[in-house]
């Protein structure tokens, strides 16, 4: 069964296209399920730009099935599991939750994306849920939904990387928690990292996935999910073994400051605790700004009211944590940090509104 909002549908109803009183916001998800159940072989997907400019790609049924089956094997899924889809149904993450429910013979609750997706679902003990970091954080910050989050047997976090404080908080949950690595071109995740293990996140591939890196340490992937073709990515990694790696950051986000290459994602990991101390609850990111001496200089962009005194104190304390050549040189305050529909910080849209 699948529950779209508050309306329960059987598989036979969906296959026959018997929509009944289906709310219009679930129309796309319903039709995607119907096409799948009726044997459609090719599907069009909108990429997010992880491997280049955003575009429409076509994937085959066997690619989607390979992802569904690899995840089932990894988590040892049983018939009748209870799943929650609280992700955008326009994106691959939401679509894959629908397919997992259909192929796993699971019970699925489909809710529109919300900051705290468990607020109205605390009575259900879920076996498998996918969230973005902002959703997991919101659930943890609410005493009632924190209890519901603690009952989830398997939680995967995707769409963006998790901060060190969030990793520590998620490590205290009873169920298993994984950060996922994947993209539209790999039809969802191809590797998972156990959040509860100490140290940096180490991603382990799903069954059937092959990895290699190019001369610039950018990851390349070949798997049934990619149509058994090598797929280049813009992700820079440190290979641990032929089937495991540590994600370093996006190649297109790398900052070249005086010949030193800086990964903003690594700076975020090292300074996340300090950011929470100085700017609790505020969204932020690190990026490069043109510099006539260094080429680029590292800056912090923080959501909130400009406070030069607090900003200066933060920059001074950051010097005690980071090597001198990786210190942020300035802090910029913006009225709002934009978020994409998949829960990622939208740096380009945010910076477009900033008056330098």
């Amino acid at each position: 069964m699948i529950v779209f909002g508050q309306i329960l549908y059987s598989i036979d109803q969906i296959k026959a296209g018997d929509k009944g009183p289906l709310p219009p916001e679930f129309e796309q998800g319903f039709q995607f399920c119907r096409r799948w159940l009726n044997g459609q072989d090719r599907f069009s997907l909108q990429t997010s730009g992880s491997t280049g400019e955003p575009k429409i790609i076509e994937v085959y049924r066997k690619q989607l099935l390979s992802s569904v089956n690899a995840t089932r094997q990894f988590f040892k899924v049983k018939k009748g599991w209870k799943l929650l889809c609280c992700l955008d149904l326009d994106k691959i993450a939401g679509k894959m939750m629908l397919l997992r429910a259909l192929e796993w013979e699971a019970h699925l609750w489909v809710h529109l994306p919300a900051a705290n997706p468990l607020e109205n679902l605390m009575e259900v003990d879920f076996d498998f849920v996918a969230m973005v970091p902002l959703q997991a954080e919101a659930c943890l910050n609410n005493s009632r939904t924190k209890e519901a989050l603690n009952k989830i047997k398997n939680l995967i976090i995707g769409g963006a990387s998790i901060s060190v404080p969030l990793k520590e908080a998620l490590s205290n949950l009873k169920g298993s928690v994984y950060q996922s690595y994947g993209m539209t071109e790999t039809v969802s995740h191809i590797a998972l990292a156990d959040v509860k293990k100490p140290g940096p996140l180490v991603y382990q591939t799903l069954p059937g996935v092959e990895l290699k890196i190019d001369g610039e340490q950018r990851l390349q992937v070949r798997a049934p999910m990619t149509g058994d073709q090598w797929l280049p990515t813009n992700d820079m990694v440190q290979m641990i073994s032929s089937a495991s790696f540590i994600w370093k950051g996006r190649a297109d986000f790398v900052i070249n400051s005086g010949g030193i290459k800086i990964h903003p994602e690594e700076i975020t990991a090292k300074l996340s605790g300090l950011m929470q101390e100085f700017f609790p609850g505020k969204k932020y990111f690190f990026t490069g700004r043109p510099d006539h001496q260094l080429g680029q200089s590292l800056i912090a962009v923080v959501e909130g009211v400009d406070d030069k005194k607090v900003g200066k104190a933060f920059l001074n304390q950051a010097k005690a944590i980071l090597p001198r050549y990786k210190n942020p040189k300035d802090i910029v305050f913006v009225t709002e940090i934009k978020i994409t529909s998949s829960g990622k910080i939208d740096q380009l849209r945010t910076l477009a509104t900033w008056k330098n």
Side-chain angles (χ1 to χ4, degrees):
M1 67 156 206
I2 296 182
V3 180
F4 285 100
Q6 302 296 325
I7 313 298
L8 187 152
Y9 292 90
S10 69
I11 298 303
D12 288 341
Q13 280 179 293
I14 298 172
K15 187 173 183 179
D18 181 8
K19 295 188 293 185
L22 178 74
E25 57 268 27
F26 296 109
E27 176 74 22
Q28 185 182 56
F30 183 95
Q31 295 300 339
F32 180 76
C33 291
R34 185 183 65 81
R35 292 195 298 272
W36 180 265
L37 290 170
N38 284 289
Q40 183 169 315
D41 190 52
R42 297 171 70 178
F43 296 83
S44 297
L45 302 174
Q46 171 73 57
T47 74
S48 64
S50 295
T51 60
E53 289 297 319
K55 59 184 180 293
I56 300 294
I57 63 171
E58 283 199 334
V59 299
Y60 288 90
R61 187 182 186 91
K62 64 181 181 180
Q63 291 174 253
L64 297 164
L65 268 176
S66 65
S67 176
V68 168
N69 291 332
T71 301
R72 171 163 42 191
Q73 185 176 339
F74 184 93
F75 287 101
K76 298 179 173 58
V77 176
K78 296 180 180 179
K79 179 180 177 180
W81 267 23
K82 297 176 183 177
L83 279 54
L84 170 63
C85 177
C86 53
L87 303 171
D88 190 344
L89 297 176
D90 287 342
K91 302 293 191 298
I92 186 62
K95 286 179 166 59
M96 290 307 298
M97 287 302 298
L98 297 174
L99 295 188
R100 290 172 190 137
L102 295 175
E103 292 298 316
W104 295 352
E105 298 181 77
H107 305 301
L108 176 67
W109 282 256
V110 183
H111 279 239
L112 296 178
N116 190 329
L118 296 179
E119 277 188 305
N120 299 312
L121 287 165
M122 289 178 290
E123 73 284 357
V124 184
D125 294 343
F126 290 106
D127 296 288
F128 187 89
V129 178
M131 292 184 184
V132 298
L134 291 175
Q135 290 175 320
E137 194 164 17
C139 292
L140 285 166
N141 290 335
N142 179 307
S143 59
R144 293 166 66 242
T145 55
K146 182 178 181 179
E147 183 180 347
L149 190 72
N150 201 38
K151 294 179 181 178
I152 295 174
K153 292 185 177 64
N154 299 282
L155 175 66
I156 61 173
I157 309 291
S161 57
I162 60 175
S163 65
V164 173
L166 180 56
K167 181 180 186 296
E168 292 174 354
L170 292 170
S171 295
N172 294 320
L173 296 177
K174 291 180 181 178
S176 64
V177 186
Y178 290 88
Q179 169 93 57
S180 66
Y181 173 83
M183 58 203 74
T184 308
E185 293 88 340
T186 61
V187 291
S188 189
H189 55 260
I190 53 89
L192 294 162
D194 189 342
V195 169
K196 293 189 171 185
K197 287 188 176 180
L201 291 171
V202 177
Y203 290 89
Q204 302 287 337
T205 59
L206 295 182
V209 176
E210 297 178 69
L211 305 175
K212 66 180 182 180
I213 53 175
D214 64 14
E216 296 184 13
Q217 306 299 301
R218 290 177 299 192
L219 185 68
Q220 299 183 49
V221 180
R222 182 167 69 180
M225 301 79 152
T226 68
D228 291 313
Q229 301 295 316
W230 281 107
L231 175 74
T233 78
N234 284 329
D235 292 301
M236 302 184 74
V237 303
Q238 174 189 341
M239 294 297 294
I240 304 300
S241 73
S242 61
S244 62
F245 62 92
I246 294 174
W247 182 75
K248 307 291 284 184
R250 287 283 299 272
D252 44 354
F253 287 171
V254 171
I255 299 161
N256 190 327
S257 185
I260 302 297
K261 291 186 177 180
I262 303 172
H263 293 284
E265 297 88 351
E266 289 186 323
I267 304 300
T268 299
K270 292 182 182 298
L271 294 184
S272 58
L274 194 64
M275 292 298 296
Q276 288 303 313
E277 179 183 338
F278 277 87
F279 311 106
K282 299 297 184 182
K283 294 191 283 291
Y284 65 90
F285 61 90
F286 293 91
T287 188
R289 180 170 68 183
D291 186 291
H292 72 280
Q293 288 184 323
L294 299 172
Q296 286 181 296
S297 61
L298 177 68
I299 65 169
V301 179
V302 180
E303 186 177 72
V305 177
D306 194 340
D307 190 325
K308 290 181 173 55
K309 184 177 179 181
V310 172
K312 184 177 180 180
F314 166 78
L315 292 173
N316 284 334
Q317 290 207 26
K319 292 176 182 178
I321 299 173
L322 295 169
R324 178 174 57 84
Y325 50 84
K326 291 189 176 181
N327 291 156
K329 299 298 188 283
D330 195 8
I331 185 164
V332 171
F333 293 91
V334 295
T335 304
E336 180 188 12
I337 286 182
K338 306 290 186 181
I339 301 294
T340 68
S341 61
S342 59
K344 299 178 183 178
I345 286 177
D346 193 327
Q347 295 191 21
L348 293 178
R349 284 179 60 218
T350 298
L351 294 174
T353 65
W354 170 47
K355 304 298 183 183
N356 191 352

